[in-house]
Amino acid sequence: MASLVGMQAAAQSAKPVEVAVTIRADQPGVKINRNIYGQFAEHLGYGIYGGVWVGEDSKIPNTRGYRNDVVAALKQLKVPVVRWPGGCFADEYHWRDGIGPRDRRPVKINTIWGGVEEDNSFGTHEFLDFAELIGADAYVAGNVGSGTPQEMSEWVEYITSDTKSTLAEMRRRNGREKPWRLPYFGVGNETWGCGGNMRPEYFADQYRQFQTFIRAPRDNRPERIASGANVDDYYWTEVMLSQAARHMEAYSLHYYTVPGRWEDKGKSTGFPEDQWASTLKNALRMDELVTKHSAIMDRYDPGKRVGLYVDEWGTWYDPEPGRNPGFLWQQNTLRDAQVAALSLSIFHRHAERVRMTAIAQMVNVLQAMILTEEEKMVLTPTYHVFEMYVPFQDATFLPAEFKSPQYTHGDWSIPAVDVSAAKGTDGRLYVALVNSDPNRGAVLTTKIAGATAGKVSGRVLTANAMDAHNTFDRPNAVKPAEFKAQRKGDQIVANLPPKSVVVLTVE
Ligand code: AHR
């Protein structure tokens, strides 16, 4: 049997694959809605408490209770939209618990996530002010599972009304004179599961009823987002679209990437190459899901008026030993960076229908951007991908033509290379190149049809180990570095290391 050292040496000496790429700058596609870079923040573990909100009296530096370090890091990402308060938590959340003086708010049990006390100190005002602070749009998810149309309707009025109604006056007494902007409102969450265990026929009627009472001023009327399908439940989509398409502006889809089975997902670090390969293979399934759900939507909404919002996606691993399993805390490695890059590339390709997504989740939960522990904060490899990809927000999609060789490991086989390109709002061209093979480099020779390439600069995210990650002791183990591409006439030659993500800027 070959020794591990021998195998690594062989891997390092493997000859790079060569791939020819053509970027069709002469065939621009649609705008990549910046909301594709959205985030999800739930009352779950340290996602809100400790991660975003520490309260005004905390010794952790904060602005009106929000962690300064986290706020600054999120501003760098230009987070376009944040979904809150859940997830499953949304269907047990009653908004009146989270307004008024904090010391008088009721303490509830977060029955879905760890059975911990929820003191409601982060409520409607705290969320909407937070969204304003980081410059993001607010996406509030309403309670269908254990709420009523009246409760939902009054929440929307409390947030959006500029009248002298009792609810608007209550908001003013609680410290907010002017209404907040409320661009997005979700009607239910996973109503097929934690949101009520409904059948699609039943939820379609519930949806029609609840959305009727989302009444807001004309200039501040939120998009109505219908709770959608779980993974490949195409029947759910069929029923919802056929019964309720005209009552929605968007329809959601949830899909999580798990290396193994739900009962035995796999670890977030210290995993074998087999799970590197299975994770990326499963992440790529997003393309099939989006394609098939979109095809159903096309039948009922050929004009693509209704957006497909993938408002929960990302990796989900086994609970970390020693941590509350209900808190869904996991490390985030170079593998997660690959999942992020490949998923974003899929969303770019489907930008005509996919006009919002929300990665799960923003801080300390699942595939997080940021991990915190008391006063310490660390940025994850996923954060770095989102930061490198900022220029893709609102950019114009440009098709990329290439034929990728396969990366194969055991039973798993995926394209080794992925390319996504766009023309940024600043007029520059951005090309994201992903090499998913952990053992072999890739030489990508790119020509741009319909444009002349000038100066090229780049950044790369890579590391030696598949599970390389940042810790509070070594916060910069994985971070972007300068990447130099070569020019060969009108072509750009990029020598991608194994397991890397590169973004080129072409002037
Ligand atoms: O993101 C964690 C949970 O996953 C959400 O609360 C729920 O909607 C989904 O099942």
Side-chain angles (χ1 to χ4, degrees), residues 43 49 84 89-90 92-110 118-126 143 146 151 155 158 170 174:
H43 288 234
Y49 299 112
W84 171 88
F89 181 80
E92 63 176 43
Y93 183 64
H94 300 283
W95 68 271
R96 285 172 196 270
D97 294 343
I99 56 168
R102 290 192 195 107
D103 57 355
R104 278 190 252 149
R105 297 185 191 175
V107 177
K108 296 274 184 85
I109 309 292
N110 187 335
E118 162 63 63
D119 71 2
N120 281 298
S121 53
F122 192 93
T124 301
H125 289 249
E126 289 77 13
N143 179 345
S146 69
E151 184 184 15
W155 198 6
Y158 183 87
M170 191 194 291
N174 287 333

Side-chain angles (χ1 to χ4, degrees), residues 40 42 44 87-88 113 189-190 256 312 316 328 361 366:
F40 173 35
E42 181 167 15
L44 195 179
C88 294
W113 300 121
N189 169 76
E190 299 195 350
Y256 284 95
E312 287 187 31
W316 194 323
L328 309 188
Q361 300 194 4
L366 297 176

Side-chain angles (χ1 to χ4, degrees), residues 32 56 87 90 128 191-192 270 342 364 372 378 388 409 440 473:
I32 297 169
E56 287 147 336
L128 293 166
T191 41
W192 40 264
L342 295 174
N364 289 330
T372 66
V378 81
M388 289 164 71
H409 184 86
R440 191 185 287 268
D473 295 331

Side-chain angles (χ1 to χ4, degrees), residues 231-232 234 255 280-290 346:
V231 190
D232 56 358
Y234 301 114
Y255 173 60
L280 301 191
K281 174 82 181 173
N282 292 340
L284 289 169
R285 189 174 174 215
M286 182 69 86
D287 190 45
E288 172 194 325
L289 298 172
V290 167
I346 292 168

